[in-house]
Amino acid sequence: MERLYKGVLSALQKENKEEAVMLSLAALSSGSVTVPELYEMVLAPALISVIDEYPKDEELIWREHVRSAIIRTIMESAYSFVLEERKKAEQNKGKVLVVCPEFEDHELGAKNGS
């Protein structure tokens, strides 16, 4: 998992969308990672790390937007894997609670509906 994280992070730091997408989809295709693992252990940490990489607000904002756009492409490209995960999860139906901070308006993640 660490190798995948470092590879995807490196591609994101270079703003290499093709490489980031291909690494992520290859990992899903090989079964070495599940959709939740990819999101929780690779994509979310890689997005959060942008804060430490670019301490100046002016640069941080647009770098975060570029990185978010690439990660969104990865997530959209993985949709067929999401559907497969859903089929597996339907056997274990339960309830889910999703929360987010007030005024959360970022492109990715939970959205505040009010």
Side-chain angles (χ1 to χ4, degrees):
M1 188 69 66
E2 184 67 20
R3 184 175 175 190
L4 176 61
Y5 171 73
K6 287 181 179 180
V8 171
L9 179 61
S10 175
L12 291 169
Q13 289 169 331
K14 295 181 286 187
E15 297 176 1
N16 187 331
K17 183 180 192 175
E18 182 178 349
E19 182 181 354
V21 171
M22 297 313 280
L23 285 169
S24 299
L25 293 182
L28 288 168
S29 293
S30 72
S32 64
V33 68
T34 64
V35 173
E37 290 169 340
L38 178 65
Y39 182 79
E40 293 171 10
M41 301 171 79
V42 177
L43 301 179
L47 182 56
I48 292 168
S49 73
V50 75
I51 294 167
D52 296 326
E53 293 170 37
Y54 301 99
K56 293 184 180 176
D57 281 345
E58 308 83 43
E59 188 175 8
L60 169 62
I61 292 168
W62 72 267
R63 295 271 188 185
E64 180 188 21
H65 286 196
V66 171
R67 194 166 295 187
S68 293
I70 295 171
I71 289 174
R72 180 180 182 155
T73 298
I74 293 168
M75 293 169 57
E76 289 172 344
S77 298
Y79 188 64
S80 62
F81 296 97
V82 171
L83 294 177
E84 288 300 317
E85 291 282 337
R86 183 175 72 181
K87 284 180 189 175
K88 294 175 194 173
E90 285 177 346
Q91 298 170 2
N92 302 318
K93 287 187 177 183
K95 295 184 179 186
V96 174
L97 174 65
V98 178
V99 297
C100 69
E102 188 175 11
F103 306 115
E104 177 56 62
D105 294 321
H106 285 88
E107 184 175 349
L108 301 174
K111 304 273 190 254
N112 185 336
S114 56

